[in-house]
Amino acid sequence: MNITPLVWIITIAVTIAFFVYEFFAHVRKPHEPTIGESARWSAFYISLALLFGVGIGVVSGWTYGGEYFAGYLTEKALSIDNLFVFLIVMTSFAVPKIYQQKVLMIGIVIALILRGVFIAVGATLISNFSWIFYLFGALLLFLAYRQAFSHGESNPADGRFMRFVRRHLPVSDEYDGDRLTVKRDGRRFVTPMLLVIIAIGFVDLVFAVDSIPAIYGLTEEAYIVFTANAFALMGLRQLYFLIGGLLERLIYLAQGLAVILAFIGVKLVLHAMHVNELPFINGGEPMLWAPEIPIWFSLLFIGATVTVATIASLVVTRRRGRLGPPDPDAVASADDTAPADTPRR
């Protein structure tokens, strides 16, 4: 894929222009977006991302087009998981709804900058060290395990990092509009708004660790990695308000993402074996018998996994909602008739 510096400059400039427009048109004036507004802009950005993928397929070939779509779908799924953590942070800090747009916008911009740095570093490592695929694969398998068996107990707003920040910064108790600092009695305090932004920036850093190796498992083209990430983050703010209530119903999203990360981890390890240069593995010779998973299969697998996780989540939560909570009188009656040595719940 031949991407000239001019194409890179235009792509980055257009991406920055979109975010600048977003800020001045929608975020600068604090307000809570309506469902209609969020739906229209979400549809616009998703359509734009799909059209861009078609453009890559037409101009550069459908192998690259398939890599883009697989990468975009993976990054979009990971971004939705990112939104769920954003929701936890917003709730923990009790961010007023009219200011949540600004926090999300800043968080998304931080995410794009961090991912841009990781993309550049990843491209350099891949071009110079083929063994990095072993490392990326092992990292994704570890992250897949952690994703599958984490139950959301950790709260990033009350973790060790945020406790460290609170110990070293004077924090006011109340919000002062969307200001980051406030001066009281001659002393400068930071507002909870700044703590929210710091927390979301830290979350973005953590998510970039699994996001970039994951997409490099689908394509080695830095341009595709960048554009897939940029389009996955565009419209994420509107999607937050559009599916805010739905996020809590995606109970199997973490498991679905774990399956995707594990799949890409295995794909990376197989690719590393196929291009092996490490002298202590197979005498430094490539293991050509190791299969290379084609991009069309990756795209189908990722799409099917996201679909199954989403449908299963909605079906189970709907069934639970239909059954409703247990009758407390019935529970009490059952407990009263239980044997004395039966542990009460």
Side-chain angles (χ1 to χ4, degrees), residues 197-282:
I197 292 172
I198 292 174
I200 284 184
F202 180 71
V203 168
D204 285 332
L205 177 62
V206 172
F207 271 87
V209 172
D210 56 7
S211 171
I212 301 307
I215 193 169
Y216 268 123
L218 299 168
T219 178
E220 296 181 33
E221 293 292 335
Y223 185 77
I224 292 178
V225 175
F226 176 79
T227 51
N229 270 276
F231 278 113
L233 292 172
M234 284 182 185
L236 200 59
R237 177 181 60 82
Q238 293 88 345
L239 199 61
Y240 174 87
F241 292 100
L242 182 62
I243 65 171
L246 184 63
L247 283 174
E248 296 180 358
R249 297 184 60 189
L250 299 178
I251 57 175
Y252 296 128
L253 178 62
Q255 286 72 22
L257 290 174
V259 171
I260 292 173
L261 292 176
F263 169 77
I264 299 176
V266 171
K267 186 176 185 296
L268 276 169
V269 172
L270 289 174
H271 178 71
M273 295 167 63
H274 199 79
V275 298
N276 177 64
E277 293 177 348
L278 292 178
F280 53 87
I281 297 179
N282 198 42

XYZ file of all heavy atoms in Angstrom, residues 197-282:
667
model
N -11.191 14.284 33.817
C -10.384 14.267 32.591
C -9.110 13.455 32.806
O -8.694 12.684 31.934
C -10.063 15.712 32.157
C -11.356 16.412 31.704
C -9.029 15.734 31.039
C -11.204 17.881 31.437
N -8.489 13.593 33.989
C -7.289 12.803 34.284
C -7.637 11.319 34.306
O -6.906 10.480 33.749
C -6.683 13.238 35.638
C -6.122 14.658 35.532
C -5.576 12.270 36.058
C -5.641 15.233 36.859
N -8.767 10.967 34.926
C -9.190 9.566 34.997
C -9.446 8.993 33.608
O -9.030 7.866 33.293
C -10.446 9.442 35.861
N -10.116 9.758 32.774
C -10.423 9.282 31.424
C -9.149 9.183 30.579
O -9.001 8.257 29.774
C -11.473 10.197 30.763
C -12.842 9.877 31.366
C -11.489 10.046 29.247
C -13.997 10.619 30.772
N -8.224 10.118 30.773
C -6.946 10.019 30.073
C -6.192 8.753 30.463
O -5.593 8.085 29.611
N -6.231 8.408 31.762
C -5.586 7.176 32.225
C -6.263 5.944 31.635
O -5.599 4.989 31.218
C -5.635 7.125 33.751
C -5.006 5.893 34.338
C -3.632 5.718 34.310
C -5.790 4.905 34.908
C -3.051 4.579 34.847
C -5.222 3.762 35.444
C -3.846 3.605 35.413
N -7.599 5.970 31.568
C -8.357 4.865 30.960
C -7.963 4.714 29.488
O -7.777 3.601 28.988
C -9.873 5.110 31.098
C -10.663 4.135 30.233
C -10.296 4.974 32.554
N -7.841 5.854 28.780
C -7.446 5.822 27.370
C -6.085 5.162 27.188
O -5.867 4.391 26.242
C -7.395 7.239 26.799
C -8.779 7.806 26.535
O -9.702 7.008 26.278
O -8.944 9.034 26.591
N -5.153 5.463 28.096
C -3.818 4.879 28.009
C -3.888 3.358 28.151
O -3.250 2.617 27.398
C -2.922 5.475 29.097
C -1.493 4.928 29.192
C -0.732 5.205 27.901
C -0.758 5.533 30.383
N -4.701 2.899 29.110
C -4.842 1.453 29.331
C -5.456 0.784 28.103
O -5.008 -0.281 27.665
C -5.699 1.191 30.581
C -6.013 -0.290 30.723
C -4.984 1.703 31.830
N -6.487 1.410 27.526
C -7.162 0.812 26.379
C -6.284 0.816 25.138
O -6.425 -0.060 24.273
C -8.476 1.543 26.094
C -9.647 0.971 26.834
C -9.949 1.401 28.117
C -10.446 -0.007 26.271
C -11.007 0.872 28.821
C -11.512 -0.547 26.956
C -11.801 -0.111 28.241
N -5.395 1.807 25.013
C -4.505 1.842 23.849
C -3.550 0.651 23.845
O -3.106 0.204 22.790
C -3.718 3.153 23.823
N -3.244 0.117 25.040
C -2.309 -1.004 25.148
C -2.843 -2.240 24.435
O -2.086 -2.987 23.821
C -2.013 -1.304 26.637
C -1.212 -2.584 26.779
C -1.266 -0.143 27.270
N -4.172 -2.490 24.529
C -4.711 -3.659 23.823
C -5.263 -3.304 22.447
O -5.348 -4.147 21.565
C -5.778 -4.378 24.655
C -6.919 -3.473 25.070
O -6.960 -2.325 24.613
O -7.770 -3.922 25.863
N -5.629 -2.027 22.250
C -6.222 -1.619 20.982
C -5.232 -1.708 19.825
O -5.549 -2.272 18.768
C -6.753 -0.185 21.106
O -7.139 0.317 19.865
N -4.022 -1.174 20.012
C -3.069 -1.101 18.905
C -2.486 -2.475 18.553
O -2.457 -2.841 17.368
C -1.960 -0.073 19.214
C -2.588 1.318 19.439
C -0.955 -0.025 18.084
C -3.496 1.785 18.314
N -2.029 -3.281 19.522
C -1.590 -4.636 19.132
C -2.699 -5.439 18.460
O -2.427 -6.232 17.558
C -1.186 -5.269 20.478
C -0.834 -4.125 21.340
C -1.761 -3.019 20.952
N -3.955 -5.216 18.871
C -5.067 -5.967 18.278
C -5.203 -5.672 16.790
O -5.336 -6.586 15.969
C -6.371 -5.639 19.006
N -5.151 -4.410 16.419
C -5.348 -4.083 15.004
C -4.097 -4.404 14.193
O -4.190 -4.733 12.997
C -5.778 -2.609 14.826
C -6.275 -2.392 13.389
C -4.666 -1.659 15.168
C -6.955 -1.057 13.179
N -2.908 -4.348 14.821
C -1.706 -4.763 14.095
C -1.709 -6.268 13.850
O -0.925 -6.764 13.033
C -0.437 -4.346 14.853
C 0.091 -2.992 14.429
C 0.275 -1.962 15.342
C 0.414 -2.749 13.090
C 0.759 -0.720 14.952
C 0.898 -1.517 12.694
C 1.068 -0.513 13.625
O 1.539 0.715 13.220
N -2.575 -6.992 14.553
C -2.744 -8.402 14.252
C -3.584 -8.635 13.013
O -3.650 -9.758 12.499
N -4.231 -7.578 12.513
C -5.084 -7.685 11.332
C -4.460 -7.028 10.107
O -4.804 -7.373 8.974
C -6.445 -7.036 11.617
C -7.229 -7.676 12.778
C -8.403 -6.791 13.176
C -7.711 -9.061 12.396
N -3.591 -6.061 10.316
C -2.932 -5.383 9.195
C -1.606 -4.816 9.674
O -1.470 -4.429 10.845
C -3.799 -4.253 8.639
O -3.099 -3.592 7.576
C -4.144 -3.218 9.709
N -0.628 -4.762 8.788
C 0.655 -4.146 9.100
C 0.763 -2.744 8.505
O 1.811 -2.103 8.621
C 1.798 -5.021 8.591
C 1.881 -6.378 9.268
C 3.037 -7.219 8.752
O 4.086 -6.629 8.398
O 2.893 -8.452 8.686
N -0.313 -2.282 7.874
C -0.317 -0.958 7.259
C -0.669 0.104 8.293
O -1.795 0.140 8.806
C -1.312 -0.911 6.105
C -0.940 -1.784 4.926
C 0.295 -1.257 4.202
O 0.567 -0.048 4.276
O 0.979 -2.070 3.557
N 0.298 0.970 8.622
C 0.071 2.003 9.639
C -1.079 2.936 9.244
O -1.817 3.427 10.105
C 1.356 2.805 9.861
N -1.243 3.168 7.937
C -2.311 4.069 7.481
C -3.683 3.480 7.797
O -4.588 4.186 8.257
C -2.179 4.321 5.977
C -3.168 5.330 5.442
C -2.974 6.695 5.656
C -4.292 4.937 4.726
C -3.877 7.630 5.178
C -5.198 5.866 4.239
C -4.988 7.200 4.468
O -5.885 8.134 3.996
N -3.834 2.182 7.572
C -5.103 1.528 7.884
C -5.334 1.519 9.395
O -6.454 1.741 9.874
C -5.126 0.090 7.321
C -5.143 0.136 5.793
C -6.322 -0.692 7.849
C -5.108 -1.228 5.130
N -4.271 1.279 10.158
C -4.384 1.281 11.615
C -4.868 2.642 12.102
O -5.783 2.741 12.934
C -3.033 0.928 12.266
C -3.116 1.060 13.785
C -2.612 -0.484 11.898
N -4.272 3.716 11.574
C -4.642 5.060 12.011
C -6.076 5.409 11.613
O -6.865 5.895 12.434
C -3.673 6.098 11.432
C -4.058 7.519 11.764
C -3.774 8.052 13.010
C -4.727 8.307 10.835
C -4.142 9.353 13.334
C -5.100 9.613 11.151
C -4.811 10.141 12.401
N -6.424 5.191 10.354
C -7.757 5.594 9.892
C -8.854 4.751 10.553
O -9.931 5.286 10.882
C -7.870 5.479 8.361
O -7.442 4.168 7.937
C -6.988 6.523 7.679
N -8.605 3.465 10.772
C -9.600 2.630 11.456
C -9.824 3.134 12.875
O -10.966 3.195 13.359
C -9.155 1.174 11.467
N -8.749 3.520 13.551
C -8.880 4.071 14.899
C -9.592 5.414 14.890
O -10.446 5.681 15.737
C -7.497 4.212 15.545
C -7.073 2.982 16.300
O -7.440 2.795 17.457
N -6.317 2.120 15.641
N -9.217 6.283 13.932
C -9.833 7.606 13.863
C -11.335 7.496 13.623
O -12.138 8.163 14.299
C -9.167 8.429 12.757
N -11.744 6.641 12.680
C -13.172 6.500 12.395
C -13.910 5.813 13.544
O -15.089 6.094 13.780
C -13.383 5.735 11.091
C -13.263 6.595 9.869
C -12.216 6.424 8.977
C -14.199 7.581 9.601
C -12.101 7.224 7.843
C -14.096 8.386 8.482
C -13.045 8.204 7.596
N -13.238 4.906 14.251
C -13.879 4.262 15.397
C -14.140 5.263 16.515
O -15.139 5.152 17.244
C -13.001 3.116 15.912
N -13.252 6.270 16.649
C -13.417 7.271 17.696
C -14.367 8.392 17.276
O -15.034 8.995 18.127
C -12.056 7.863 18.069
C -11.094 6.905 18.783
C -9.716 7.529 18.943
C -11.641 6.509 20.144
N -14.439 8.668 15.959
C -15.397 9.678 15.491
C -16.824 9.199 15.754
O -17.170 8.060 15.484
C -15.224 9.911 13.983
C -14.022 10.735 13.617
S -13.963 10.989 11.814
C -12.408 11.844 11.642
N -17.632 10.056 16.275
C -19.010 9.674 16.543
C -19.188 8.915 17.840
O -20.309 8.548 18.214
N -18.074 8.656 18.551
C -18.172 7.919 19.812
C -18.925 8.743 20.857
O -19.650 8.195 21.687
C -16.763 7.579 20.310
C -16.636 6.440 21.320
C -17.185 5.143 20.751
C -15.191 6.268 21.755
N -18.748 10.049 20.821
C -19.461 10.924 21.759
C -20.966 10.811 21.576
O -21.726 10.664 22.540
C -18.999 12.372 21.551
C -19.717 13.396 22.418
C -19.202 14.788 22.118
N -19.408 15.142 20.717
C -20.556 15.605 20.235
N -21.604 15.757 21.013
N -20.654 15.915 18.959
N -21.418 10.868 20.307
C -22.858 10.750 20.046
C -23.367 9.365 20.410
O -24.482 9.209 20.910
C -23.150 11.056 18.577
C -22.899 12.494 18.161
C -21.458 12.723 17.715
O -20.577 11.903 17.955
N -21.220 13.851 17.060
N -22.535 8.345 20.151
C -22.940 6.975 20.454
C -23.129 6.784 21.953
O -23.994 6.015 22.388
C -21.871 5.998 19.930
C -22.289 4.545 19.752
C -23.424 4.433 18.738
C -21.097 3.699 19.308
N -22.349 7.497 22.755
C -22.472 7.417 24.212
C -23.871 7.823 24.658
O -24.490 7.159 25.504
C -21.422 8.323 24.852
C -21.536 8.452 26.352
C -20.922 7.531 27.194
C -22.247 9.496 26.921
C -21.011 7.653 28.576
C -22.349 9.626 28.300
C -21.732 8.705 29.120
O -21.832 8.824 30.484
N -24.374 8.917 24.090
C -25.707 9.391 24.482
C -26.813 8.575 23.818
O -27.920 8.479 24.353
C -25.862 10.870 24.121
C -24.991 11.782 24.945
C -23.797 12.271 24.433
C -25.357 12.129 26.226
C -22.984 13.089 25.196
C -24.547 12.960 27.001
C -23.358 13.433 26.484
N -26.499 7.987 22.668
C -27.512 7.207 21.959
C -27.762 5.863 22.626
O -28.915 5.426 22.751
C -27.084 6.997 20.499
C -28.059 6.246 19.590
C -29.373 7.015 19.456
C -27.442 6.022 18.220
N -26.704 5.201 23.060
C -26.866 3.857 23.628
C -26.486 3.820 25.101
O -26.185 2.747 25.642
C -26.037 2.821 22.846
C -24.534 3.096 22.998
C -26.427 2.799 21.389
C -23.658 1.991 22.432
N -26.519 4.995 25.764
C -26.138 5.051 27.176
C -26.883 4.027 28.011
O -26.302 3.299 28.818
N -28.192 3.930 27.833
C -28.977 2.957 28.592
C -28.740 1.535 28.138
O -28.890 0.589 28.918
N -28.339 1.380 26.867
C -28.114 0.043 26.322
C -26.800 -0.554 26.799
O -26.647 -1.776 26.859
C -28.140 0.107 24.793
C -28.024 -1.204 24.011
C -29.210 -2.108 24.326
C -27.933 -0.932 22.518
N -25.827 0.309 27.160
C -24.514 -0.179 27.563
C -24.613 -1.173 28.710
O -23.921 -2.187 28.725
C -23.621 1.002 27.976
C -23.020 1.852 26.844
C -22.303 3.053 27.428
C -22.072 1.033 26.001
N -25.497 -0.860 29.684
C -25.618 -1.734 30.845
C -26.231 -3.078 30.487
O -26.152 -4.023 31.275
C -26.434 -1.039 31.926
C -25.758 0.220 32.465
C -26.580 0.901 33.534
O -27.695 0.408 33.818
O -26.121 1.915 34.080
N -26.861 -3.178 29.316
C -27.465 -4.446 28.892
C -26.492 -5.331 28.122
O -26.777 -6.501 27.906
C -28.711 -4.178 28.035
C -29.836 -3.463 28.776
C -31.055 -3.317 27.902
N -31.577 -4.605 27.480
C -32.538 -4.766 26.569
N -33.076 -3.701 25.988
N -32.957 -5.970 26.238
N -25.341 -4.767 27.723
C -24.362 -5.556 26.961
C -23.497 -6.353 27.930
O -22.281 -6.152 28.034
C -23.516 -4.642 26.079
C -24.285 -3.848 25.020
C -23.351 -2.934 24.247
C -25.016 -4.789 24.058
N -24.123 -7.294 28.621
C -23.446 -8.003 29.709
C -22.396 -8.983 29.206
O -21.509 -9.395 29.964
C -24.480 -8.737 30.591
C -25.319 -9.706 29.737
C -25.367 -7.746 31.318
C -26.275 -10.552 30.549
N -22.478 -9.396 27.947
C -21.506 -10.340 27.394
C -20.503 -9.667 26.457
O -19.757 -10.373 25.759
C -22.223 -11.470 26.652
C -23.091 -12.322 27.552
C -24.420 -12.566 27.245
C -22.582 -12.878 28.716
C -25.224 -13.337 28.078
C -23.362 -13.649 29.558
C -24.685 -13.877 29.234
O -25.471 -14.636 30.055
N -20.473 -8.339 26.462
C -19.531 -7.632 25.593
C -18.091 -7.956 25.986
O -17.240 -8.179 25.118
C -19.765 -6.120 25.667
C -18.814 -5.255 24.835
C -18.951 -5.574 23.352
C -19.061 -3.770 25.088
N -17.805 -7.994 27.280
C -16.444 -8.281 27.735
C -15.992 -9.662 27.264
O -14.862 -9.839 26.795
C -16.369 -8.197 29.262
N -16.889 -10.642 27.355
C -16.533 -11.995 26.913
C -16.346 -12.047 25.395
O -15.452 -12.728 24.894
C -17.613 -12.992 27.346
C -17.608 -13.329 28.825
C -18.117 -12.193 29.703
O -18.843 -11.312 29.242
N -17.756 -12.202 30.967
N -17.204 -11.323 24.669
C -17.050 -11.262 23.217
C -15.723 -10.641 22.814
O -15.029 -11.145 21.917
N -15.341 -9.551 23.490
C -14.061 -8.913 23.205
C -12.896 -9.825 23.582
O -11.864 -9.838 22.904
C -13.958 -7.587 23.964
C -14.874 -6.466 23.457
C -14.783 -5.256 24.372
C -14.518 -6.072 22.034
N -13.062 -10.597 24.655
C -12.016 -11.540 25.048
C -11.788 -12.575 23.951
O -10.637 -12.923 23.635
C -12.398 -12.230 26.356
N -12.879 -13.066 23.353
C -12.759 -14.038 22.258
C -12.031 -13.402 21.069
O -11.150 -14.021 20.458
C -14.157 -14.539 21.833
C -14.064 -15.376 20.559
C -14.784 -15.364 22.952
N -12.382 -12.160 20.742
C -11.740 -11.466 19.614
C -10.251 -11.256 19.889
O -9.396 -11.517 19.022
C -12.436 -10.118 19.350
C -13.859 -10.350 18.826
C -11.636 -9.279 18.350
C -14.680 -9.082 18.691
N -9.907 -10.789 21.096
C -8.502 -10.557 21.434
C -7.713 -11.869 21.409
O -6.569 -11.906 20.934
C -8.389 -9.901 22.809
C -8.904 -8.460 22.915
C -8.811 -7.969 24.354
C -8.132 -7.526 21.995
N -8.325 -12.947 21.916
C -7.636 -14.245 21.899
C -7.426 -14.723 20.465
O -6.354 -15.245 20.126
C -8.450 -15.272 22.693
N -8.443 -14.548 19.624
C -8.326 -14.943 18.222
C -7.187 -14.187 17.533
O -6.345 -14.785 16.841
C -9.648 -14.673 17.498
C -9.568 -14.786 16.000
C -9.540 -16.029 15.385
C -9.519 -13.654 15.203
C -9.457 -16.142 14.008
C -9.432 -13.743 13.823
C -9.402 -15.001 13.225
N -7.137 -12.870 17.741
C -6.083 -12.073 17.099
C -4.723 -12.429 17.704
O -3.701 -12.434 17.002
C -6.381 -10.568 17.240
C -7.708 -10.218 16.552
C -5.258 -9.738 16.624
C -8.129 -8.782 16.730
N -4.696 -12.733 19.013
C -3.442 -13.161 19.639
C -2.897 -14.425 19.003
O -1.709 -14.524 18.698
N -3.778 -15.412 18.786
C -3.362 -16.655 18.118
C -2.899 -16.351 16.694
O -1.888 -16.892 16.219
C -4.522 -17.668 18.112
C -4.197 -18.869 17.229
C -4.838 -18.131 19.527
N -3.631 -15.469 15.999
C -3.262 -15.087 14.636
C -1.862 -14.460 14.604
O -1.057 -14.749 13.701
C -4.302 -14.103 14.082
C -4.133 -13.731 12.609
C -5.279 -12.828 12.179
C -5.228 -12.536 10.678
N -4.049 -11.778 10.273
N -1.561 -13.625 15.592
C -0.245 -12.991 15.652
C 0.865 -14.010 15.922
O 1.937 -13.945 15.314
C -0.243 -11.921 16.752
C -0.790 -10.548 16.362
C -0.975 -9.688 17.597
C 0.135 -9.855 15.374
N 0.610 -14.945 16.825
C 1.617 -15.965 17.126
C 1.887 -16.834 15.892
O 3.043 -17.142 15.571
C 1.167 -16.832 18.322
C 2.111 -18.018 18.505
C 1.120 -15.995 19.596
N 0.827 -17.222 15.184
C 1.002 -18.019 13.964
C 1.796 -17.239 12.916
O 2.668 -17.800 12.230
C -0.363 -18.424 13.402
C -1.141 -19.464 14.211
C -2.538 -19.659 13.629
C -0.389 -20.788 14.247
N 1.496 -15.925 12.801
C 2.248 -15.104 11.844
C 3.711 -14.991 12.271
O 4.616 -15.037 11.424
C 1.617 -13.720 11.749
C 2.344 -12.794 10.817
N 2.333 -12.956 9.446
C 3.139 -11.713 11.062
C 3.062 -12.012 8.882
N 3.568 -11.250 9.847
N 3.946 -14.843 13.580
C 5.323 -14.758 14.079
C 6.093 -16.042 13.768
O 7.273 -15.997 13.403
C 5.309 -14.493 15.588
N 5.425 -17.189 13.905
C 6.063 -18.465 13.560
C 6.370 -18.534 12.067
O 7.408 -19.046 11.652
C 5.150 -19.623 13.975
C 4.941 -19.740 15.480
S 3.592 -20.862 15.928
C 4.236 -22.413 15.281
N 5.479 -17.981 11.266
C 5.631 -18.033 9.800
C 6.821 -17.193 9.327
O 7.438 -17.512 8.301
C 4.341 -17.534 9.137
C 4.198 -17.953 7.714
N 3.788 -19.218 7.343
C 4.430 -17.278 6.555
C 3.756 -19.299 6.027
N 4.140 -18.148 5.529
N 7.128 -16.103 10.070
C 8.249 -15.224 9.675
C 9.364 -15.282 10.711
O 10.171 -14.352 10.808
C 7.753 -13.764 9.500
C 6.725 -13.680 8.396
C 7.179 -13.209 10.805
N 9.433 -16.351 11.476
C 10.358 -16.469 12.615
C 11.806 -16.174 12.225
O 12.305 -16.653 11.202
C 10.254 -17.870 13.213
C 11.233 -18.070 14.353
O 11.135 -17.406 15.370
N 12.184 -18.966 14.166
N 12.476 -15.378 13.091
C 13.907 -15.108 12.936
C 14.663 -15.318 14.246
O 15.882 -15.105 14.290
C 14.130 -13.664 12.465
C 13.618 -13.376 11.064
C 13.795 -11.927 10.654
O 14.114 -11.093 11.541
O 13.635 -11.624 9.465
N 13.968 -15.707 15.305
C 14.626 -15.898 16.593
C 15.492 -17.154 16.547
O 15.008 -18.254 16.232
C 13.580 -16.022 17.707
C 12.778 -14.747 18.007
C 11.750 -15.023 19.091
C 13.701 -13.598 18.421
N 16.756 -17.034 16.881
C 17.674 -18.176 16.725
C 17.354 -19.351 17.646
O 17.692 -20.491 17.328
C 19.045 -17.561 17.068
C 18.733 -16.341 17.865
C 17.437 -15.820 17.355
N 16.713 -19.110 18.793
C 16.428 -20.192 19.726
C 15.076 -20.865 19.454
O 14.638 -21.720 20.211
C 16.475 -19.684 21.180
C 15.615 -18.490 21.447
C 14.275 -18.637 21.788
C 16.142 -17.212 21.354
C 13.488 -17.537 22.041
C 15.349 -16.102 21.605
C 14.017 -16.261 21.947
N 14.389 -20.446 18.377
C 13.140 -21.092 17.968
C 13.338 -21.638 16.555
O 13.572 -20.870 15.611
C 11.955 -20.110 18.000
C 11.709 -19.614 19.426
C 10.690 -20.774 17.460
C 10.566 -18.623 19.547
N 13.291 -22.956 16.419
C 13.429 -23.625 15.113
C 14.723 -23.240 14.402
O 14.766 -23.139 13.170
C 12.217 -23.305 14.224
C 12.074 -24.271 13.066
O 12.259 -25.473 13.227
N 11.746 -23.750 11.895
